[in-house]
Amino acid sequence: MDEPIIAFHDFGFQYNAQAEPTLHHIDLEIRKGEKVLIVGPSGCGKSTLAHCMNGLIPFSYRGESTGSVTVRGKETKALNLFEISRTVGTVLQDSDGQFIGLTVAEDIAFALENNCVRDPELHARVDKAAQAVGIESHLRHAPGELSGGQKQRVALAGVMVDDVDLLLFDEPLANLDPATGKSAMELIDEIHTRTGAAIVIIEHRLEDVLHRDVDRIVLMCAGRILADLPPDALLSSDLLRDNGIREPLYLTALRYAGVTVTPEMLPHSIRTVRLTEKEKGMVQSWFHSMPPHAVEETRPLLLDAQHVTFSYANGHRALEDVSVYVRKGELIAIVGTNGAGKSTFSKVVCGFEKEQEGRIEFTGCDWGTLSLKERADHVGYVMQNPNQMLSKPMIFDEVALGLRTRGVAEEEIKTRVEDTLRVCGLWPFRKWPVSALSYGQKKRVTIASILVLEPEMIILDEPTAGQDYRHYTEIMEFLRKLNRDGITVVMITHDMHLMLEYAERSVVFSDGHVIANDTSAGVLTDPDVIARANLKETSLYDLALACGIAEPREFVQRFIDHEREVARA
Amino acid sequence: MRNIFNYIDRPSPIHRLTGATKLVCLLLWSFAAMSTYDTRLLVFLTLLSFVLFYVSKIRVRDVSFLLSFMAVFMVLNNVLIFVFAPQHGVTLYGTSHPIFSLGGNYVVTKEQLFYHLNLVLKYFATIPIVLLFVCTTNPSEFAASLNRIGVKYTIAYSVSLALRYIPDIQKEYHEISQAQQARGIEMSRKQNLIKRLKSASAILIPLILSSMDRIEVISNAMELRGFGKEKKRTWYMERPFAPADFVAMALCALFLAASIALNIANGGRFWNPFVS
Amino acid sequence: MKRTPVKTIVAIGIGAALFFVLGRFVAIPSPVPNTSICIQYGLLGFMAVLFGPLAGVLIALIGHFLIDLSWGGGIWWSWVIASGVFGLLMGLVSKKIKLADGEFGGKGAAVFNVSQVVAHIICWAVVAPVLDIVMYAEPANKVFLQGLVGGLSNIVTTAIIGTLLCVAYAAAKPKKGSLKEEKEEK
């Protein structure tokens, strides 16, 4: 009927700085009112495709293009960035980077100000957009006073204020906790229904996006579109698994049980999946055929924090009577929302902050008198973003930094650094500049730079944030290997997959208190804890209930145990 | 975190003035106080600034930290001047009325003391006004104000961006510095200066390089929302001028004019009571 | 009329924010009691060379103005202007060093350091003290000594921090046409 909002025809693109094209032969149309999800592993070109939609290509990033891409029937090359932005509104992944104004209201007003819209229209339109995303009671707040989810709402209001025809979301779930991510998808869905704008979502967390329906899923790999299918068709194929995209967990479980997933089953959501009695029976018998979860023997305590209380200088009480223990050789997760106290707790353990009350013991010794640097010999802290830790151009020097500041002799440094690089699989790169490494390799360098100090325990802040399934697996398998070599690993995270698949135990923080300390399967099947910590029930739990399994928690646990077996094999 | 500049929101006539007015007044006032050493005008400005400070409903305890810092700075500067140029007053005023001697060149004269009095008065005439500006101007109005007094809006917006990202950068600096300290980076006095600076760079390099990435993200975000499209832009936080705004600006202009007029009448920047 | 690129505007804003944070909150104790080293000039030298004279001058003016303002005391215009002049002079050097393209070898380091020494001398031994005398009628020997001490320490910080920043930036910058797959564009 009507012309597409965006149309690619045999389109290709190569960045000036790249030796090879990033996109090849792209054919894609987005029409009015459609909702399309674009998935693909890192480096598949999906961000580049997004840049081509919103005009950053060709207007901000330089390169060679072939074929055609049109917005409302006009070649983007013939338009300019401003004209395109009236049609395509973009919500970037980095909500801090997109939040330009000093307050919520100013940020929403930004596009209108640039169009010279005057009062009273200016204030009225800001109010309307703020209401549309439910942020109207925070108009005078500064970005520092908002949560990640609220910042994203502001970003959305800031592009909706212009009445665009297409809303483009670049990894909208990347920085959100599970519950907030869920409500973000609900909000997007609501706006889609109400405004009729087309929606394009770029994300690799397939299951979380499918919390609300989409019309089509476009699968990209190596710069090409491999599939452009309705969700049910794509999910019943092998295409996702073959291309490094994680399928929803309930589908993996069905496959383990030997059930064939078909489009007729409506597999796009756990709420729609239709199983026959026979198929339910297959899931049940798979469950009963799996060995029960083995409880591991109790190992000696490594870290024992008792009744720790901490308030920041501004009076904010971040930790209230917190007791956490970590056993030798464990791999555990500390979870909770932003501001729940999980980061503060790790700062107190590392000695970045000093607790006001309570006691911290490490291998049975009181830790109160040890300095930050002395504690670092036992507990290493790895920041979320490796770029925030890397300060030397060469890998060797970066890893050696902590030894050099401790006055270790240069020969010993050489052997210790080289040993560590071997453990971390970085030996072949030891003479490379850090800048030549991928994100995952940089992460390893930062971990190596901590491991070289030979700590008994390392704490990692969001070790896999923003990583696709392949890099996520690469980083986590590396951590698991370190753990098997005897390093105790504590991860601060709100990634539920990470908890479930890798952490034996999860400590849950909420509002400065520890509200749960249980196996990850236990935590993610406890509705009360889930609600208080902004987590989300795992779809495995729902699957177990749907199949009439009386012990959903044990079902989740056996599924994880089986996954680990599969991964090891 | 928003309060690095100590904005205190209270209902007062000073708060009601627009940001642009206050910026113009700050500039006019501080140039008036800077240009002259006429004690009479300085005393007048000092008294008036105290009155305005009272009217603004800002209390001394709100700004006590800043005041004590400035007091130390003022005393140090005066001491330094005396140490380096004990006869500076004599040179300026052309006469010498010694009071007592501290030995050598260090003869305390009436002229020197009078010069120091004027210096101190300048601090007293300016500090309350700067504090007023800082405490009563909403940072959100700052960029719009600059644009209104003739600064190009793109440049004015860069000031707004600076205010926006200072808290983020401060937080990031703090986090990086903690993580690097754990690796043994120290900036204390125990090491020599060069080592200390190298240590600092272990924190600064990650901070600044990641800020360079941030520049790219922010400029994309701004262009995608039409920044730089038109020759001008409107401002959400801008308020129209009221009569009080014009009165305030006119008065401050008058003070600057008076300051210049006095400099001409006095035949220089110094009002000299010693010659008459 | 040539339009200032949005990227330069953002660089000015972020640069001024960094200048402010370093100048206001990051105190490296100096050998002289009660004074600290101004490490922000290393940053300023680096950013001016990277983004040019307009960015250099404005980062310095805005950053320094905000620092003075945040202390609540008078704005010490003579030093604010001197900072601006340093940013401007270093910005002019950007024509000689192609740092934006990732080039900064031994020659770049030499040009950078000779320029920063000259620029600091102009700013702190000439501009700042002369303005102090003209604007504030302060005694000459005091302000020249202050300028000299400040200038020397700024030369040292710029030499170390500025140079290291340029080296690190150039090393992190992908060279033209050198990237193969594997690397996600950003």
Side-chain angles (χ1 to χ4, degrees):
Chain A
M1 43 171 214
D2 49 359
E3 56 162 12
I5 300 174
I6 291 183
F8 291 86
H9 289 297
D10 196 27
F11 180 80
F13 182 78
Q14 176 172 1
Y15 287 98
N16 278 347
Q18 306 258 347
E20 315 233 329
T22 304
L23 297 177
H24 310 266
H25 308 293
I26 300 289
D27 282 295
L28 180 68
E29 288 186 354
I30 312 284
R31 290 179 184 275
K32 189 163 181 283
E34 274 194 303
K35 191 175 177 196
V36 179
L37 167 63
I38 301 178
V39 294
S42 291
C44 70
K46 57 187 194 300
S47 314
T48 304
L49 191 69
H51 292 336
C52 297
M53 292 185 188
N54 62 25
L56 284 177
I57 292 175
F59 299 109
S60 276
Y61 296 102
R62 304 286 163 198
E64 294 280 317
S65 61
T66 55
S68 115
V69 48
T70 56
V71 169
R72 292 219 156 278
K74 292 189 189 126
E75 280 294 326
T76 55
K77 273 182 248 174
L79 299 165
N80 62 44
L81 195 53
F82 306 129
E83 286 170 300
I84 298 173
S85 71
R86 296 303 283 270
T87 305
V88 181
T90 314
V91 177
L92 299 175
Q93 178 185 347
D94 178 351
S95 54
D96 272 310
Q98 177 143 6
F99 202 128
I100 299 154
L102 283 163
T103 59
V104 170
E106 288 166 81
D107 191 66
I108 297 175
F110 187 76
L112 298 175
E113 293 176 332
N114 294 330
N115 282 322
C116 296
V117 174
R118 296 188 174 279
D119 271 328
E121 193 194 342
L122 179 58
H123 273 74
R125 281 173 73 178
V126 168
D127 288 345
K128 192 174 148 235
Q131 271 162 18
V133 301
I135 199 83
E136 70 277 9
S137 54
H138 293 72
L139 281 180
R140 299 192 59 157
H141 282 50
E145 300 163 335
L146 302 178
S147 69
Q150 287 171 327
K151 279 184 226 172
Q152 195 181 56
R153 280 166 191 258
V154 175
L156 182 53
V159 296
M160 282 181 54
V161 79
D162 239 354
D163 292 326
V164 289
D165 300 324
L166 186 146
L167 286 166
L168 175 63
F169 293 86
D170 191 2
E171 308 223 2
L173 300 173
N175 302 311
L176 303 181
D177 61 53
T180 311
K182 196 167 142 182
S183 50
M185 294 324 295
E186 287 163 9
L187 177 67
I188 292 173
D189 197 50
E190 190 193 314
I191 283 166
H192 177 233
T193 322
R194 203 177 32 187
T195 65
I199 307 272
V200 174
I201 300 169
I202 294 177
E203 201 26 279
H204 54 82
R205 299 184 180 204
L206 185 61
E207 180 173 348
D208 296 329
V209 176
L210 291 178
H211 172 64
R212 283 288 183 268
D213 293 349
V214 302
D215 298 318
R216 284 149 58 202
I217 301 178
V218 175
L219 171 66
M220 288 190 71
C221 195
R224 291 166 208 276
I225 291 181
L226 289 188
D228 183 351
L229 293 169
D232 289 328
L234 187 66
L235 289 168
S236 23
S237 74
D238 291 332
L239 281 166
L240 292 172
R241 278 196 308 285
D242 294 346
N243 290 288
I245 303 293
R246 145 163 301 190
E247 65 183 356
L249 284 181
Y250 53 88
L251 295 183
T252 311
L254 287 175
R255 278 196 301 110
Y256 285 154
V259 176
T260 314
V261 179
T262 61
E264 293 70 40
M265 218 181 240
L266 304 182
H268 65 271
S269 162
I270 184 67
R271 282 167 323 210
T272 54
V273 177
R274 276 190 303 225
L275 297 174
T276 59
E277 286 310 314
K278 181 173 160 245
E279 286 160 341
K280 287 180 187 170
M282 287 165 82
V283 175
Q284 282 179 11
S285 46
W286 176 80
F287 169 62
H288 294 298
S289 71
M290 286 290 118
H293 181 62
V295 181
E296 293 202 25
E297 60 190 306
T298 314
R299 287 168 287 198
L301 282 180
L302 186 64
L303 176 83
D304 191 13
Q306 296 156 3
H307 310 295
V308 172
T309 294
F310 174 79
S311 303
Y312 282 101
N314 63 13
H316 169 63
R317 175 155 283 207
L319 298 174
E320 172 102 56
D321 192 19
V322 163
S323 296
V324 174
Y325 64 85
V326 181
R327 295 184 184 281
K328 242 177 217 151
E330 269 191 316
L331 195 157
I332 70 164
I334 294 185
V335 298
T337 53
N338 291 336
K342 54 193 200 305
S343 297
T344 307
F345 176 73
S346 58
K347 285 180 179 173
V348 168
V349 169
C350 293
F352 298 165
E353 307 286 355
K354 177 83 184 105
E355 70 277 7
Q356 279 101 21
E357 282 167 45
R359 179 182 165 87
I360 298 177
E361 282 182 8
F362 196 82
T363 55
C365 308
D366 183 9
W367 233 12
T369 54
L370 262 62
S371 73
L372 193 165
K373 197 172 160 186
E374 288 164 332
R375 291 186 192 196
D377 292 331
H378 303 282
V379 175
Y381 178 73
V382 181
M383 296 176 82
Q384 176 178 333
N385 180 352
N387 292 327
Q388 292 189 334
M389 290 183 79
L390 299 169
S391 62
K392 300 281 174 199
M394 302 309 289
I395 292 173
F396 186 94
D397 296 328
E398 185 63 46
V399 178
L401 177 71
L403 295 175
R404 292 205 170 121
T405 59
R406 282 168 171 75
V408 177
E410 204 55 37
E411 289 146 49
E412 192 189 335
I413 289 180
K414 190 159 184 293
T415 44
R416 275 171 74 176
V417 169
E418 291 190 350
D419 287 347
T420 311
L421 288 175
R422 254 183 223 111
V423 170
C424 298
L426 292 165
W427 171 249
F429 310 110
R430 65 196 180 283
K431 297 209 169 112
W432 282 31
V434 173
S435 58
L437 300 180
S438 71
Y439 184 93
Q441 288 168 328
K442 281 184 183 171
K443 186 96 201 172
R444 282 195 198 197
V445 173
T446 60
I447 296 173
S449 70
I450 296 300
L451 286 180
V452 77
L453 302 174
E454 295 169 358
E456 291 99 312
M457 174 171 133
I458 53 175
I459 301 178
L460 300 107
D461 192 2
E462 290 289 358
T464 60
Q467 298 307 295
D468 73 350
Y469 187 45
R470 201 188 71 186
H471 289 107
Y472 159 93
T473 312
E474 186 188 305
I475 294 170
M476 288 316 299
E477 286 303 322
F478 169 61
L479 287 176
R480 186 177 271 170
K481 175 177 159 290
L482 289 180
N483 180 244
R484 278 199 292 265
D485 293 345
I487 309 268
T488 306
V489 178
V490 175
M491 303 169 298
I492 300 167
T493 186
H494 46 227
D495 184 325
M496 289 177 25
H497 287 309
L498 191 157
M499 278 171 73
L500 259 182
E501 289 176 317
Y502 291 93
E504 296 147 28
R505 182 162 70 88
S506 289
V507 178
V508 186
F509 276 72
S510 172
D511 214 10
H513 297 266
V514 172
I515 58 164
N517 171 24
D518 196 352
T519 61
S520 300
V523 166
L524 289 175
T525 48
D526 181 335
D528 179 49
V529 171
I530 285 172
R532 284 170 69 192
N534 254 10
L535 296 166
K536 206 172 74 175
E537 251 155 45
T538 162
S539 57
L540 293 169
Y541 179 80
D542 297 310
L543 178 70
L545 293 182
C547 293
I549 291 167
E551 307 145 276
R553 178 184 166 147
E554 183 62 22
F555 177 81
V556 174
Q557 189 66 61
R558 287 185 195 177
F559 173 85
I560 299 162
D561 292 343
H562 183 67
E563 278 264 288
R564 285 191 192 146
E565 284 300 315
V566 174
R568 220 163 285 178
Chain B
M1 288 299 260
R2 194 169 157 208
N3 248 345
I4 13 168
F5 290 101
N6 223 18
Y7 170 57
I8 301 165
D9 196 1
R10 289 196 185 126
S12 87
I14 312 276
H15 284 81
R16 278 195 289 279
L17 294 174
T18 69
T21 307
K22 278 177 277 198
L23 186 62
V24 169
C25 289
L26 173 74
L27 295 176
L28 291 172
W29 186 295
S30 58
F31 281 116
M34 190 178 74
S35 89
T36 191
Y37 275 80
D38 189 302
T39 319
R40 297 160 301 183
L41 183 63
L42 290 175
V43 168
F44 171 75
L45 290 178
T46 302
L47 292 177
L48 184 58
S49 73
F50 285 175
V51 171
L52 290 174
F53 194 83
Y54 179 78
V55 170
S56 73
K57 299 202 179 149
I58 304 297
R59 297 291 161 257
V60 171
R61 72 180 123 80
D62 296 327
V63 292
S64 54
F65 168 73
L66 295 175
L67 279 177
S68 54
F69 175 81
M70 285 318 296
V72 171
F73 186 81
M74 183 178 84
V75 170
L76 257 174
N77 201 31
N78 274 289
V79 168
L80 268 182
I81 287 177
F82 184 75
V83 169
F84 278 94
Q87 299 304 317
H88 195 54
V90 174
T91 330
L92 292 173
Y93 294 103
T95 55
S96 178
H97 296 82
I99 306 173
F100 58 88
S101 170
L102 298 167
N105 197 20
Y106 292 95
V107 178
V108 178
T109 59
K110 281 187 185 170
E111 284 79 2
Q112 184 73 10
L113 287 185
F114 188 64
Y115 170 69
H116 281 287
L117 170 73
N118 281 309
L119 268 187
V120 170
L121 276 175
K122 273 168 177 281
Y123 279 100
F124 280 4
T126 332
I127 290 175
I129 295 300
V130 176
L131 286 177
L132 265 191
F133 178 77
V134 171
C135 297
T136 67
T137 309
N138 187 338
S140 295
E141 272 190 77
F142 204 82
S145 308
L146 282 171
N147 186 213
R148 200 168 201 169
I149 65 169
V151 176
K152 257 173 60 177
Y153 81 81
T154 46
I155 308 290
Y157 209 86
S158 65
V159 177
S160 180
L161 282 175
L163 295 172
R164 156 71 183 91
Y165 285 101
I166 282 171
D168 286 23
I169 288 174
Q170 200 185 337
K171 184 165 162 253
E172 197 176 344
Y173 173 81
H174 192 63
E175 286 171 1
I176 294 175
S177 124
Q178 286 177 335
Q180 299 294 55
Q181 279 173 44
R183 292 167 77 190
I185 296 293
E186 270 184 291
M187 293 198 291
S188 62
R189 279 173 196 284
K190 277 184 249 164
Q191 292 170 310
N192 70 42
L193 182 64
I194 307 284
K195 271 218 172 113
R196 240 178 276 158
L197 287 173
K198 283 193 170 164
S199 305
S201 69
I203 299 168
L204 296 187
I205 286 172
L207 175 73
I208 289 165
L209 292 190
S210 63
S211 301
M212 296 299 115
D213 294 342
R214 196 189 289 244
I215 289 175
E216 179 132 344
V217 177
I218 296 169
S219 53
N220 282 346
M222 287 172 63
E223 287 200 84
L224 284 174
R225 287 156 77 193
F227 186 80
K229 173 163 54 172
E230 309 286 341
K231 287 225 157 49
K232 49 184 190 152
R233 85 197 287 276
T234 52
W235 302 85
Y236 183 82
M237 291 299 287
E238 193 170 60
R239 291 179 288 158
F241 283 132
D245 291 295
F246 294 111
V247 173
M249 285 188 280
L251 279 176
C252 289
L254 195 68
F255 299 149
L256 181 58
S259 167
I260 294 166
L262 282 170
N263 286 352
I264 295 167
N266 293 336
R269 293 168 71 186
F270 296 90
W271 175 62
N272 192 339
F274 298 103
V275 280
S276 51
Chain C
M1 190 187 81
K2 216 180 115 234
R3 211 198 276 265
T4 320
V6 174
K7 202 165 169 183
T8 308
I9 299 299
V10 180
I12 294 167
I14 297 295
L18 282 164
F19 189 95
F20 176 88
V21 170
L22 300 190
R24 180 68 175 13
F25 298 106
V26 182
I28 297 195
S30 84
V32 186
N34 258 330
T35 56
S36 61
I37 309 275
C38 301
I39 55 175
Q40 66 267 37
Y41 290 99
L43 163 85
L44 178 57
F46 160 71
M47 291 208 58
V49 169
L50 188 56
F51 292 101
L54 180 72
V57 79
L58 287 171
I59 289 171
L61 290 181
I62 297 169
H64 201 144
F65 177 82
L66 291 178
I67 291 176
D68 278 6
L69 203 61
S70 76
W71 285 120
I75 291 142
W76 207 256
W77 293 104
S78 48
W79 287 51
V80 174
I81 293 168
S83 284
V85 172
F86 179 72
L88 175 73
L89 292 174
M90 291 309 286
L92 294 174
V93 179
S94 66
K95 300 214 173 11
K96 291 267 170 235
I97 304 174
K98 296 275 169 263
L99 187 57
D101 297 334
E103 285 171 29
F104 191 79
K107 188 172 152 267
V111 173
F112 178 83
N113 279 295
V114 170
S115 321
Q116 67 98 351
V117 170
V118 173
H120 273 314
I121 291 174
I122 293 173
C123 294
W124 309 109
V126 182
V127 176
V130 168
L131 287 176
D132 270 342
I133 295 168
V134 174
M135 296 168 91
Y136 298 99
E138 295 222 338
N141 55 355
K142 179 220 168 206
V143 292
F144 277 108
L145 191 90
Q146 275 183 324
L148 215 61
V149 171
L152 276 178
S153 101
N154 290 347
I155 286 174
V156 176
T157 52
T158 313
I160 295 177
I161 293 185
T163 311
L164 285 174
L165 277 172
C166 291
V167 170
Y169 180 84
K173 184 91 189 164
K175 304 287 178 290
K176 249 188 174 174
S178 66
L179 292 185
K180 288 189 223 83
E181 58 157 4
E182 263 286 310
K183 253 172 264 155
E184 169 81 327
E185 66 288 339
K186 225 182 141 184

